[in-house]
């Protein structure tokens, strides 16, 4: 199996080198190696299949631009991607995204653009719980959280009136130097 895959890679590499010497692009090569209509239109958005029976089978998949340029094929299969809106309810208190449902069909390498509108919901409840590591390496982050906690709460209350904040702590490693020993150095602290 590996030999077959390795040989395929060598053949494809050799084909790419020969094509570049002849002025062909990688897309030309990708199209030219396809042997059925399904393979052709699945290989690249640039490939098109000629359905005319009189066209030689090994040249029926080409770049779409080459079929239109030389007019050899009268029946070309070259599907284009599309997007269609299936459900589009107007934005309201209950609907925050519009459209709600759409269908997109694309070929490999193809893109499509669509527009979506978003309306933030009013007074959505926010439950925010901070779980803070109290080991020494997180000391700066703890100080930042202490400094910003009031500002954070006020900011959330501007967005909604239903806010619940919670704080929890843990220490991953409970030995020095991973934890603060400030309580041991404090002159007011003592041990019995």
């Amino acid at each position: 199996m590996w030999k077959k895959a390795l040989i395929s890679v060598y053949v494809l590499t050799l084909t790419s080198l020969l094509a570049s010497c002849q002025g062909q692009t990688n897309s030309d090569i990708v199209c030219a190696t396809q042997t059925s209509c399904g393979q052709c239109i699945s290989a690249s958005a640039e490939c098109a299949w000629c359905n005319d029976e009189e066209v030689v089978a090994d040249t029926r998949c080409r770049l779409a631009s080459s079929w239109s340029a030389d007019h050899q094929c009268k029946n070309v299969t070259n599907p284009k991607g599309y997007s269609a809106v299936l459900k589009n309810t107007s934005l309201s208190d209950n609907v925050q995204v519009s459209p709600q449902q759409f269908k997109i069909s694309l070929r490999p390498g193809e893109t499509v653009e669509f527009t979506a509108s978003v309306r933030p919901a009013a007074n959505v409840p926010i439950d925010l719980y901070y779980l803070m590591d109290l080991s020494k390496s997180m000391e700066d982050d703890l100080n930042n959280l202490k400094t910003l906690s009031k500002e954070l709460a006020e900011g959330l209350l501007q967005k909604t009136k239903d806010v619940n904040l919670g704080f929890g702590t843990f220490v991953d490693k409970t030995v020095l130097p991973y934890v603060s020993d400030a309580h041991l150095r404090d002159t007011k602290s003592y041990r019995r």
Side-chain angles (χ1 to χ4, degrees):
M1 182 170 158
W2 286 104
K3 284 184 178 182
K4 186 176 182 180
L6 193 56
I7 290 170
S8 297
V9 169
Y10 285 137
V11 169
L12 187 58
T13 305
L14 182 59
T15 307
S16 297
L17 289 171
L18 290 172
S20 64
C21 294
Q22 297 172 355
Q24 290 182 321
T25 65
N26 283 340
S27 296
D28 290 326
I29 297 165
V30 168
C31 296
T33 59
Q34 308 310 315
T35 57
S36 71
C37 181
Q39 290 175 346
C40 181
I41 63 174
S42 296
S44 168
E46 297 178 34
C47 296
W49 180 261
C50 179
N51 292 310
D52 294 348
E53 294 295 327
E54 58 274 358
V55 174
V56 180
D58 62 346
T59 61
R60 291 174 76 175
C61 185
R62 290 194 202 169
L63 289 174
S65 58
S66 70
W67 284 126
S68 58
D70 64 18
H71 304 290
Q72 288 182 350
C73 185
K74 294 172 181 44
N75 186 4
V76 176
T77 298
N78 185 21
K80 297 293 179 200
Y82 67 91
S83 66
V85 175
L86 302 178
K87 183 178 179 186
N88 191 12
T89 306
S90 299
L91 296 175
S92 66
D93 287 340
N94 296 327
V95 178
Q96 280 84 45
V97 179
S98 179
Q100 294 78 37
Q101 189 177 28
F102 51 92
K103 181 178 181 178
I104 297 176
S105 177
L106 298 174
R107 289 173 61 188
E110 201 171 22
T111 61
V112 69
E113 291 185 20
F114 61 90
T115 302
S117 300
V118 178
R119 177 181 175 204
N123 271 334
V124 173
I126 296 177
D127 294 329
L128 182 60
Y129 185 81
Y130 277 95
L131 180 61
M132 184 74 196
D133 179 0
L134 291 183
S135 61
K136 184 71 173 167
S137 63
M138 300 299 289
E139 191 171 39
D140 292 344
D141 297 307
L142 177 61
N143 291 334
N144 286 338
L145 183 59
K146 287 177 184 177
T147 305
L148 296 173
S149 60
K150 183 178 179 185
E151 190 177 323
L152 176 66
E154 289 170 353
L156 289 172
L157 286 170
Q158 288 177 1
K159 300 294 181 191
T160 182
K161 300 302 176 206
D162 190 1
V163 176
N164 292 305
L165 294 177
F167 296 90
T169 62
F170 74 97
V171 178
D172 192 29
K173 296 180 181 174
T174 57
V175 295
L176 288 172
Y178 303 108
V179 294
S180 174
D181 64 347
H183 69 283
L184 299 176
R185 290 182 276 129
D186 188 356
T187 57
K188 296 177 186 173
S189 298
Y190 63 93
R191 287 185 159 177
R192 284 188 184 208

